[in-house]
Every structure is written in C-alpha cells, then in structure tokens.
Amino acid sequence: MAGEDATMEDLDSPSQWLVERARQSLRENNPYEAKAWLITAKTLYPKDFGIQYEAYSIERNAERVQESAKLFYIMFEQFPENDILWKEVVSFTDALESDVMDQHGKFLTDMFGCLPQHAQREILLKAAGRCKDYIERCRMMLLLMRRFPDVIPKNGVALTEMLIEAENSEYPAAPVNPYRKLLVCDVLPHLLASEKMTVSTSSAESQSGEDKEGIVSGISLAQVYKWLELSIQFYVSCTTAHNCMSENFDVHQSIVDTSIVAEVLDGQGPWIALHELFYLAAKKCGWVEICRIHERLDSKKYRSTNDHWTSILDLHHKLKKMSKHSLEEGTEEEVLEKTGLMFAAIILFLQTVWEYCRVVNRLDVIFEDSVEVNTQLSGNASASTAASDSPAPKKKKRKLASGRSGSPAKDDSKGKQPSHIIIDKNRTGEQKDSGKADCGSVSQNLSDDFAVSVEAWHLLNTYPDYKNDFLRLLDEWRVDQWNWMGTFKVDRLIYKGKYKKAVEFLQEQRNALEQDTSGNQELLIRGAIQLSCCYFRLDDHKRACEEALYGLQFFSARSSAGDNMTLKRSTSVHQGKLDASGNEPSSSSSSSTGGRCLRLIQCSETEVLSFTVRLLLSSLKQRLVTEGRNDTLLGHVVVLVQFGWPREEDAFYELLDRIRDQGGLRYRVFFSYVNNIDILEEFAHLYSDDSYNLDLVPLSTSGSGRAVTRGVNKGAKEDFRAAMERQVSRSDESFEPLLKAFLQNEKDSLLS
C-alpha cells in the first residue's frame, strides 16, 4: 500500500516508468516491445508531452520519415507552444535553408515535406512570429514565401517595411547593413518575380483587395520606386566600398560590413544583380520600352556602354517627341516610361562614372577582369592611340601656345561630337611592360564611360522630368561625400570648359585636405595640377605656374627625406579638341571634324615635372612675345628648352635669333643649369663673334663680375672658357637634377 500511495502522490511516476521501460527495451534492441510500452503509455496518458515526444524520438532516430512526420504533426496540434517542440522546428528550418544537405538534413527536409500543407504553412508562420530577431524573422518569412507563393501578397510588403524600419533604427547612415542586404538581395527579387504580386499603375487600382485567387493589388508605384532607390544605393555602396577600402580611401559611409560586401561581390556581381533587379521592377511597373532595351542588351555579358546609352537616349527623344504632340502632360504610359527611363539613366550614370573613376584613381588592378576591348567605339578611333603615336609634349605645347583658342564652344553640349580620353605615353610604356591589355583599349573604354557619364549627367541634371528626383537622390545618398565622385566632377567641368567652377571645387577640396592631419598628398598633387590647367585656360598664367610648382614640391620633399613616392592616381591636365588625325588643332584649325578631348597623365614625378616644364615654357614664351628685352626671362626659357631635347630645338634657335637681334644676353646663372652640348656649342660660337656681349659667368667670390665679350677682357675670356669646359664635361649627365634645382632655386624669379 505504501508503494501505491507514492504513485498516487506523484502522478508523473507511472508515465515516466512506462517511458523508462520503453527506453530499456530499446537498449536491449527490442524496438517492437518499446513501441508497445509507448502505445500503452499514450493510451493511459494522452495529454503527456513527454510520452508523445519519446515516441517521436524513436521514429526520428530510426529515420522513418512517414512515421516521424505523423507523430510530429500530432504533437504540433496538441502542444503548439512547447519549447522543446520549437527546437525541432529550428532544426527543420535550418535544413530547409541549407545549401549543403547531409543525410540527416535530407531526412528532416523529407519529413517536413510529409506534413500536411496547412501544417507546414502554420509552422513557418508561427516560427516567424516567435522570432524576436528581425533577421531570423525575415529568414522564416522568406522560407515561407518560397514554399508557399500564395502568401507573398499578404506578407511580402509587410516584410519589406519591417526591414526598412529596422534599418532606419539601427543603421541610419550605413546603406551596407544586414537588413538592406536581406531586402535587396533576397526579399525584393522574390517579390518582384512573383506572379502573385501586382503593382497598381493607375488610380483605379489603388484600392487594395484580394481576389478569388489570392492576388493582392495594393502595391503602389511609390513603393516600387523606393525599393529601387534603396537597391541602387546598396549595390553602388558595395561596389565602391570594396575598392575604396582596399586603397585606404575615404569611404562614403560610416559603417561598412565587409562580410556583406564580400558576399555580394562573390555572386554574379553588383552591377549585373542591379540590372536584373531593375528589369524585374520594370516588368512589374509596365515599362515596356525599358524591358525591350534590357532584353536586347544581355546584362550577364559585357554591356556596350554606347549601345546601352544610345537606346536610353533614343527612348528619351521618342517620349519627348510624343509629349510635344500631346495637348496634356502625356498619357499615363508615357509618364511611367519616363520614370523608368530616369532610373535606367541613373543606374548607367553611376556605373560609368565608377568605371571611369576606378581606372583614373587606380583603386584596383585596372587591366584585369572588368576592362575589356569594346570594338564599337564611336567617333575617331585614332584618338585612342594618339598618346603613343604622337609626342604628347608637342601637342601640349601647341595647345598651350594657342592660348584660349581651344576653349569649348557654347554648343558643345548639344552636338554629338565623340569624346576622347588620351593617356600619355609614359602610361603606355608602363602598360606594355606589365603584359596586360594595351593602353589603346583602356583609352577606348575610358572614352566610352566618360562620354556616357557626362551625357547622362547632362540629361538627368537639366531635363525637368528627371532633375528634381535626380537631385533629391544625390542629396539623400550624400553623393557629395563620395570622394571618388569628385574625380568625375572635376574632369567633367574641365572637359566642358567650366574652369571657374572647377577652381571653386578644387579650392574647397584643398581646404578640406589641408585640415585633415593625415594629408592625402596624392589628392593635393592632383588638385594642384588641375588648378594649374584651369588657371592657364583662364589666362591667369602666374597662378597656373604657381600651382604646378606647388604640386611638384611634394615630390621634392619626399626625395629629400629619402622616401620614394609612388602614386597610383591619374589626373586630368587639360581639355581641348581633336582634329581628324587625333591631334589637338592649332588655333586656326577647325574642330568640327573631331570631338572633345581630355588628357590623363599619371600622377608621378616624371609626368608632373613634364607638365610643369611645358606649362612654364608656354607661359614664358607668351610673355616674350608681349614684352621688350628681358634677359632673365629669355635665359629661363633657354634652360627649360633642354627638357626633352630635341623636342624644343626649333624654339631654341628662335631664342638664339632673338639674342643676336638684341646684341647679347646677361644671364649669370647660365652655367649653373645648362649642360646641353648643342646649346653650349651655339653659345660658344656666339661668344666667338666680337659683336655680341654675353654676361653668363656668375659673380666671383670677390664680388666683382666680368662681362664676357671676346677680346675685351682676358680674365673674362678665361672665366668663360673654364665654365664652358666644365659644363661640356657634364653634358653626358642627366639634365633632370639641374632642372629640379632650377625650379627650386629660381622659383621666385620664374613667378615674378
């Protein structure tokens, strides 16, 4: 009786005893006896979860799919809130989401599939509702929508709103975050591809309602537009963040999740993914013409930038023409197409700007992966090889010597002139040494990307139907903080001849850089060279030379410290036009046969030094034309023409004629900077003529100077001969050290 009393006091003991007997039978390898014990237990205690779960565990461990599913379904109906049961649900969902399926995972998946459809749906819905974490809840809802597409209309939009709200709360300033990634990469493609999802494209459809097939038509165009805006910002941020971080560039967002960036880049690629998502949205919104463009241009292959932009531009002109013939603002279909066209233009604009800036800024290895030869280059094909076929410095001299004759005409933006990017010769040599794609193909791709980005900017920034939304998006995305975009802005302004605006932007950029303690010297150098170009085109030659020498001093500082400075960025140095041969025209030549031209030079000491010398030469030559006798100015030009000899040989003989005409030259630093054998021989020959007075020898240590004129002073003759012999002996040495010393020591004189 005592034992029976104990059993009565503890009602669980009989059930637990029966469960233990079943376990014992299993340990003794007698599964049928174990089942018998559990059947007895379930009969006696039908509401006991432990007995039900034990019976389920036996079937699950034996991996009997049908039996396990049946017992789990009974438990789910009787004990829907049991925590142990929901741990099993987690194992199901993990298996359903897994890309790699092991044997146990396959069993769980098969077992879940054996559950009644309504049970599967209810389990996933309740699983999502039990998730406190937004990410987990989103995963459950995605799983539900993949298995049951009919729930998409009811739950899809709510899911997007939940993710957007969570992002605004936790990541207000970071477009690359887990919520945005789930929204853009997982949820939106599923929603937009669903046949169950419809979009209201007219006021008549604005009321949400469910028809007999369960399709909800309450999704507005405004929602789709918002999704597109978030998607564009996300994919552009992923693309640029990867490259910007790899070069320690100032990323335009406060937080960057590198794992998300890596995951996006490991897929089909941000731009292809963005184009595909845009295509899904276009089909939903009824952008018929945009869909035709997308179908014609395969996004999974390299898109011809020109072809893509031409298609967009043709559609723009078509819609514009239709609007002119319409008495009203346009049909509803036309308004829809214009919105689609705006998004298409924005995506292509951002893509081409990035591709251009990525190459110019050298943010990664530019000649691998994404740089391909585009044989459909429009315009003058010879322009792409101009940098290697023609001496770049000569073209630069002719360009500078023409003053402002190369300034852009007012109708440049209206004409369809081909644009050209010229990469200077040194860059070509570097490229050939690397064994990668030749410089010509890179120049062609840069030309395409730059031309399209400039035209797209013009269209989006001026046409009333696009401008307001475009400017709003630039502001919301904080594009002014995307430092790589500044490259395009400066080059676009220089290319369009808007030098004053370029100067304003570059000065603001310099002020910000100088306040930054880290001091990005590459950007300071690039900005100085671009400022120099702009000032020259504005006829402010003194400030142009000041800026060029300012940029050059950074290299001198590094060299004196024993640190070799390696720069990766390129800089646009000037803008002009090309004639039919791919060269820059003289002031009298017509530019109607060519197109606009933007030259790029590598931001290295060699290129910057070459640019500075050409700029100084051009400026000083123009002063020689307008001034009377100025021996110091004349002597400075003689020194500078040595650089790249014999390129300036003709100019030197013109200088020599001028010296003869004025009867001589007083330039006492002559022997400090001249070591060119041809120039020395000409001055030795000039000295032999009694009619010319040459004062070229520096003051003696005693402070007395001697005018070097043959036959007048024997001491002066000896000083001249000694100085000449000394310089002739140094004629085989490089001129570059003398040039650097000249620019440093004579800086004030050059600028005065």
Side-chain angles (χ1 to χ4, degrees):
M1 294 296 292
E4 291 179 5
D5 292 340
T7 302
M8 293 297 293
E9 291 175 2
D10 186 2
L11 296 179
D12 286 340
S13 293
S15 63
Q16 292 299 320
W17 181 81
L18 291 170
V19 169
E20 186 57 38
R21 288 303 302 265
R23 291 174 178 171
Q24 180 64 31
S25 298
L26 282 176
R27 288 193 289 269
E28 294 173 356
N29 197 24
N30 196 342
Y32 296 105
E33 182 179 294
K35 281 188 177 183
W37 282 112
L38 289 174
I39 291 172
T40 302
K42 285 193 289 183
T43 303
L44 293 173
Y45 305 102
K47 299 297 183 181
D48 191 306
F49 176 78
I51 294 173
Q52 303 279 3
Y53 186 76
E54 190 67 27
Y56 162 73
S57 298
I58 291 174
E59 302 299 336
R60 182 196 61 191
N61 294 337
E63 294 192 347
R64 286 187 278 268
V65 175
Q66 296 286 348
E67 293 83 351
S68 299
K70 180 180 179 180
L71 292 173
F72 183 86
Y73 177 57
I74 293 172
M75 284 192 299
F76 182 75
E77 284 192 320
Q78 294 182 357
F79 314 101
E81 301 301 326
N82 189 281
D83 291 338
I84 296 176
L85 189 68
W86 283 104
K87 288 182 180 178
E88 289 295 304
V89 173
V90 171
S91 65
F92 291 148
T93 56
D94 287 345
L96 291 170
E97 289 184 309
S98 176
D99 295 329
V100 181
M101 191 72 68
D102 57 13
Q103 183 177 350
H104 183 63
K106 185 178 185 305
F107 162 74
L108 292 173
T109 303
D110 293 342
M111 179 188 144
F112 188 82
C114 286
L115 294 173
Q117 290 286 304
H118 72 274
Q120 294 181 31
R121 185 198 307 259
E122 189 176 354
I123 287 171
L124 293 176
L125 269 173
K126 285 189 174 182
R130 289 173 64 91
C131 293
K132 296 181 180 180
D133 182 75
Y134 285 123
I135 301 295
E136 289 301 314
R137 186 182 303 176
C138 180
R139 287 177 51 236
M140 291 297 105
M141 292 302 299
L142 278 170
L143 193 56
L144 174 67
M145 290 189 293
R146 290 191 183 107
R147 296 186 73 87
F148 302 100
D150 58 296
V151 306
I152 292 176
K154 186 176 181 180
N155 299 280
V157 176
L159 182 57
T160 65
E161 292 173 350
M162 180 193 75
L163 290 171
I164 293 172
E165 181 181 349
E167 175 188 305
N168 292 336
S169 175
E170 296 186 35
Y171 301 94
V176 180
N177 63 74
Y179 303 119
R180 184 77 71 91
K181 189 267 178 187
L182 276 172
L183 174 70
V184 174
C185 300
D186 300 299
V187 177
L188 292 182
H190 202 64
L191 263 61
L192 294 173
S194 172
E195 295 180 357
K196 298 287 184 178
M197 182 70 75
T198 61
V199 177
S200 304
T201 57
S202 66
S203 57
E205 300 174 347
S206 61
Q207 299 295 325
S208 72
E210 187 173 339
D211 63 20
K212 61 183 180 180
E213 296 182 0
I215 298 179
V216 177
S217 58
I219 303 166
S220 67
L221 284 168
Q223 286 176 308
V224 180
Y225 299 162
K226 182 63 178 178
W227 294 344
L228 276 177
E229 292 170 10
L230 293 172
S231 301
I232 294 170
Q233 185 189 24
F234 172 78
Y235 279 121
V236 172
S237 297
C238 284
T239 304
T240 60
H242 166 70
N243 292 279
C244 291
M245 287 186 299
S246 67
E247 289 292 328
N248 196 26
F249 214 77
D250 184 15
V251 185
H252 53 265
Q253 52 209 32
S254 58
I255 302 174
V256 174
D257 192 322
T258 55
S259 62
I260 292 177
V261 173
E263 187 176 348
V264 171
L265 294 176
D266 287 342
Q268 59 182 340
W271 294 117
I272 291 179
L274 177 56
H275 282 291
E276 290 298 319
L277 185 66
F278 175 64
Y279 179 54
L280 292 175
K283 289 197 291 186
K284 284 292 179 202
C285 294
W287 297 334
V288 179
E289 297 295 334
I290 295 296
C291 290
R292 288 174 181 168
I293 292 174
H294 186 279
E295 291 166 357
R296 188 167 62 252
L297 302 170
D298 188 353
S299 65
K300 295 182 179 180
K301 298 178 181 178
Y302 178 73
R303 285 172 176 253
S304 167
T305 301
N306 280 332
D307 287 350
H308 196 180
W309 174 246
T310 300
S311 298
I312 291 175
L313 206 56
D314 288 345
L315 177 57
H316 166 72
H317 291 309
K318 177 182 177 181
L319 294 173
K320 189 176 179 181
K321 186 177 181 180
M322 291 171 65
S323 297
K324 284 183 178 180
H325 289 83
S326 176
L327 298 178
E328 302 176 358
E329 292 183 358
T331 65
E332 198 167 18
E333 290 76 13
E334 290 173 17
V335 174
L336 278 174
E337 287 289 354
K338 285 181 180 179
T339 304
L341 188 149
M342 180 194 72
F343 278 112
I346 288 175
I347 292 172
L348 188 60
F349 166 71
L350 292 171
Q351 183 176 1
T352 52
V353 169
W354 169 250
E355 291 299 330
Y356 171 76
C357 294
R358 183 178 61 85
V359 175
V360 171
N361 290 333
R362 299 297 296 272
L363 295 179
D364 58 3
V365 182
I366 65 172
F367 301 107
E368 294 179 350
D369 298 332
S370 60
V371 175
E372 304 180 22
V373 178
N374 179 6
T375 58
Q376 302 188 16
L377 175 69
S378 63
N380 187 354
S382 65
S384 63
T385 56
S388 57
D389 295 342
S390 304
K394 275 193 176 182
K395 290 187 288 183
K396 181 66 181 177
K397 176 180 75 86
R398 186 161 63 250
K399 167 81 171 76
L400 293 173
S402 65
R404 297 191 62 187
S405 62
S407 298
K410 291 183 179 180
D411 60 348
D412 282 343
S413 61
K414 299 179 181 179
K416 290 188 176 181
Q417 295 178 325
S419 66
H420 303 280
I421 300 294
I422 295 180
I423 304 176
D424 264 355
K425 197 171 183 179
N426 288 342
R427 199 93 187 253
T428 307
E430 169 193 312
Q431 182 55 25
K432 289 180 178 178
D433 292 340
S434 69
K436 304 288 178 64
D438 62 61
C439 184
S441 66
V442 176
S443 178
Q444 290 176 9
N445 284 286
L446 281 180
S447 296
D448 284 351
D449 290 332
F450 183 73
V452 168
S453 59
V454 170
E455 290 187 36
W457 169 269
H458 179 75
L459 177 69
L460 292 166
N461 201 48
T462 57
Y463 196 65
D465 286 350
Y466 316 133
K467 183 175 181 179
N468 290 338
D469 282 325
F470 179 58
L471 295 179
R472 173 183 59 82
L473 289 174
L474 295 184
D475 183 61
E476 289 181 3
W477 293 340
R478 302 178 183 178
V479 173
D480 58 329
Q481 297 180 23
W482 299 1
N483 282 351
W484 56 271
M485 184 67 82
T487 300
F488 167 74
K489 181 174 182 178
V490 174
D491 289 358
R492 176 179 60 83
L493 292 173
I494 293 176
Y495 172 78
K496 286 292 187 181
K498 298 179 179 180
Y499 302 111
K500 290 183 179 179
K501 289 185 177 180
V503 167
E504 291 175 3
F505 178 81
L506 290 167
Q507 289 288 9
E508 291 176 2
Q509 184 185 70
R510 174 180 292 179
N511 293 337
L513 290 170
E514 289 177 342
Q515 292 174 6
D516 184 2
T517 55
S518 61
N520 194 321
Q521 292 191 350
E522 294 184 29
L523 289 177
L524 285 171
I525 295 171
R526 181 166 67 179
I529 300 306
Q530 290 170 327
L531 276 171
S532 177
C533 166
C534 292
Y535 282 130
F536 186 89
R537 302 294 292 166
L538 292 170
D539 285 336
D540 191 344
H541 292 189
K542 180 177 181 180
R543 296 189 71 175
C545 295
E546 284 178 346
E547 290 296 338
L549 292 171
Y550 171 77
L552 195 59
Q553 76 179 9
F554 287 97
F555 297 99
S556 300
R558 284 293 187 96
S559 299
S560 61
D563 184 10
N564 292 324
M565 188 174 186
T566 303
L567 300 179
K568 296 183 178 181
R569 294 185 173 86
S570 301
T571 181
S572 54
V573 295
H574 79 285
Q575 154 277 331
K577 293 185 178 181
L578 294 176
D579 60 20
S581 64
N583 297 320
E584 293 172 44
S586 63
S587 59
S588 59
S589 67
S590 172
S591 61
S592 61
T593 59
R596 306 218 55 82
C597 159
L598 186 77
R599 181 182 301 282
L600 297 178
I601 66 171
Q602 191 175 20
C603 203
S604 65
E605 184 175 18
T606 300
E607 291 286 358
V608 173
L609 182 63
S610 175
F611 169 81
T612 303
V613 171
R614 283 179 275 163
L615 185 74
L616 286 167
L617 270 174
S618 187
S619 299
L620 298 181
K621 284 178 182 179
Q622 291 190 39
R623 283 193 61 190
L624 281 174
V625 173
T626 57
E627 289 193 5
R629 176 165 180 169
N630 187 330
D631 285 14
T632 301
L633 178 61
L634 190 56
H636 288 342
V637 177
V638 170
V639 172
L640 291 171
V641 296
Q642 296 177 96
F643 185 75
W645 187 268
R647 182 177 55 233
E648 294 285 347
E649 187 174 10
D650 292 343
F652 166 69
Y653 284 108
E654 292 178 6
L655 296 173
L656 204 61
D657 290 339
R658 181 163 183 152
I659 292 171
R660 290 192 180 99
D661 292 342
Q662 67 183 27
L665 177 69
R666 178 189 174 103
Y667 190 67
R668 289 177 173 171
V669 294
F670 177 88
F671 289 111
S672 298
Y673 306 119
V674 177
N675 72 337
N676 181 280
I677 188 65
D678 295 327
I679 294 177
L680 291 173
E681 287 180 353
E682 290 295 341
F683 272 91
H685 178 73
L686 195 64
Y687 160 76
S688 65
D689 192 328
D690 291 344
S691 59
Y692 300 115
N693 183 28
L694 298 180
D695 190 359
L696 307 180
V697 180
L699 295 173
S700 64
T701 54
S702 63
S704 60
R706 293 171 177 169
V708 183
T709 306
R710 189 174 187 274
V712 174
N713 185 298
K714 184 178 181 181
K717 177 180 178 181
E718 293 300 324
D719 287 345
F720 180 86
R721 179 176 296 170
M724 181 64 71
E725 289 177 353
R726 184 168 58 251
Q727 290 305 97
V728 168
S729 67
R730 299 179 59 188
S731 60
D732 292 333
E733 297 177 8
S734 171
F735 171 63
E736 195 165 298
L738 293 179
L739 175 61
K740 292 178 182 178
F742 169 75
L743 295 177
Q744 183 174 354
N745 298 336
E746 309 300 325
K747 178 180 177 180
D748 293 339
S749 178
L750 285 166
L751 297 176
S752 64

Coordinates of all heavy atoms in Angstrom, one line a residue, residues 16 22 48 70 80 95 115 134 156 206 255 278 298 392 478 482 510 713 741:
Q16 N 6.4 8.2 -16.4 CA 7.8 8.1 -16.5 C 8.3 6.7 -16.5 O 9.3 6.3 -17.2 CB 8.5 9.0 -15.4 CG 8.2 10.5 -15.6 CD 8.8 11.0 -16.9 OE1 9.9 10.6 -17.3 NE2 8.1 11.9 -17.5
A22 N 10.2 1.6 -22.0 CA 10.4 1.7 -23.4 C 11.8 1.9 -23.8 O 12.4 1.3 -24.7 CB 9.5 2.8 -24.0
D48 N 0.2 13.7 -22.2 CA 1.6 13.8 -21.7 C 2.5 14.1 -22.8 O 2.7 13.2 -23.7 CB 1.9 12.6 -20.9 CG 3.2 12.7 -20.1 OD1 4.2 13.1 -20.8 OD2 3.2 12.5 -18.9
K70 N 4.1 11.9 -39.0 CA 2.8 11.7 -38.3 C 2.8 12.1 -36.9 O 1.9 12.8 -36.4 CB 2.3 10.3 -38.6 CG 1.0 10.0 -38.0 CD 0.6 8.5 -38.2 CE -0.8 8.2 -37.6 NZ -1.1 6.8 -37.8
P80 N 1.2 23.1 -29.3 CA 1.8 24.1 -30.3 C 2.7 25.1 -29.6 O 3.5 25.7 -30.4 CB 0.5 24.8 -30.8 CG -0.5 24.7 -29.8 CD -0.3 23.3 -29.1
A95 N 17.6 23.0 -41.9 CA 17.8 22.0 -43.0 C 17.2 22.5 -44.3 O 17.8 22.4 -45.4 CB 17.2 20.7 -42.6
L115 N 4.5 16.6 -44.0 CA 3.5 17.2 -43.2 C 2.4 17.7 -44.1 O 2.7 18.1 -45.2 CB 4.1 18.3 -42.3 CG 5.1 17.9 -41.2 CD1 5.7 19.1 -40.6 CD2 4.4 17.1 -40.1
Y134 N 14.9 40.4 -35.9 CA 14.4 40.8 -37.3 C 15.0 39.9 -38.4 O 14.3 39.5 -39.3 CB 14.6 42.2 -37.6 CG 13.7 43.2 -36.9 CD1 14.2 44.2 -36.1 CD2 12.3 43.1 -37.0 CE1 13.4 45.1 -35.4 CE2 11.5 43.9 -36.3 CZ 12.0 44.9 -35.5 OH 11.2 45.8 -34.8
G156 N 4.5 39.9 -48.1 CA 5.8 40.4 -48.7 C 6.0 41.8 -48.4 O 7.1 42.2 -48.0
S206 N -5.8 51.6 -57.1 CA -5.1 52.0 -55.9 C -5.7 51.3 -54.7 O -5.0 51.2 -53.6 CB -5.2 53.5 -55.8 OG -6.5 53.9 -55.7
I255 N 29.7 53.0 -41.6 CA 29.9 51.6 -41.2 C 29.8 50.8 -42.5 O 28.9 50.9 -43.3 CB 28.8 51.1 -40.3 CG1 28.8 52.0 -39.0 CG2 29.0 49.7 -39.9 CD1 27.7 51.7 -38.0
F278 N 16.4 45.6 -61.5 CA 15.8 46.7 -62.2 C 14.8 46.2 -63.3 O 13.7 46.7 -63.5 CB 16.8 47.7 -62.8 CG 16.2 48.8 -63.7 CD1 15.4 49.7 -63.1 CD2 16.5 48.8 -65.0 CE1 14.8 50.7 -63.9 CE2 15.9 49.8 -65.8 CZ 15.1 50.8 -65.2
D298 N 22.1 42.0 -73.2 CA 22.3 40.9 -72.2 C 23.1 41.4 -71.0 O 24.3 41.7 -71.1 CB 22.9 39.7 -72.8 CG 22.9 38.5 -71.8 OD1 22.6 38.7 -70.7 OD2 23.3 37.4 -72.3
A392 N 53.3 63.4 -76.9 CA 52.3 64.2 -76.1 C 52.8 65.6 -75.8 O 52.0 66.5 -75.8 CB 52.0 63.4 -74.9
R478 N 23.9 61.3 -50.2 CA 25.1 62.0 -49.8 C 26.3 61.9 -50.7 O 27.4 61.6 -50.4 CB 25.5 61.6 -48.4 CG 24.5 61.8 -47.3 CD 24.9 61.3 -45.9 NE 23.9 61.4 -45.0 CZ 24.0 61.0 -43.7 NH1 25.1 60.5 -43.3 NH2 23.0 61.2 -42.9
W482 N 31.0 61.2 -51.5 CA 31.7 60.1 -52.3 C 32.9 60.7 -52.9 O 32.8 61.3 -54.0 CB 30.8 59.5 -53.3 CG 29.5 58.9 -52.8 CD1 29.1 58.8 -51.5 CD2 28.5 58.3 -53.5 NE1 27.9 58.2 -51.4 CE2 27.5 57.8 -52.6 CE3 28.3 58.0 -54.9 CZ2 26.4 57.2 -53.0 CZ3 27.1 57.4 -55.3 CH2 26.2 56.9 -54.4
R510 N 40.9 71.4 -51.5 CA 42.2 71.6 -50.9 C 42.1 72.0 -49.4 O 42.8 71.6 -48.6 CB 43.0 72.6 -51.7 CG 44.3 73.0 -51.0 CD 45.1 74.0 -51.8 NE 45.6 73.4 -53.1 CZ 46.3 74.1 -54.0 NH1 46.6 75.4 -53.7 NH2 46.7 73.5 -55.1
N713 N 88.4 91.5 -72.4 CA 89.0 91.2 -71.0 C 89.5 89.8 -71.1 O 88.8 88.9 -71.2 CB 87.9 91.4 -70.0 CG 88.5 91.3 -68.6 OD1 89.0 90.2 -68.2 ND2 88.4 92.4 -67.8
A741 N 66.8 71.6 -59.5 CA 67.4 72.7 -58.8 C 67.0 74.0 -59.3 O 66.8 75.0 -58.6 CB 68.9 72.5 -58.9

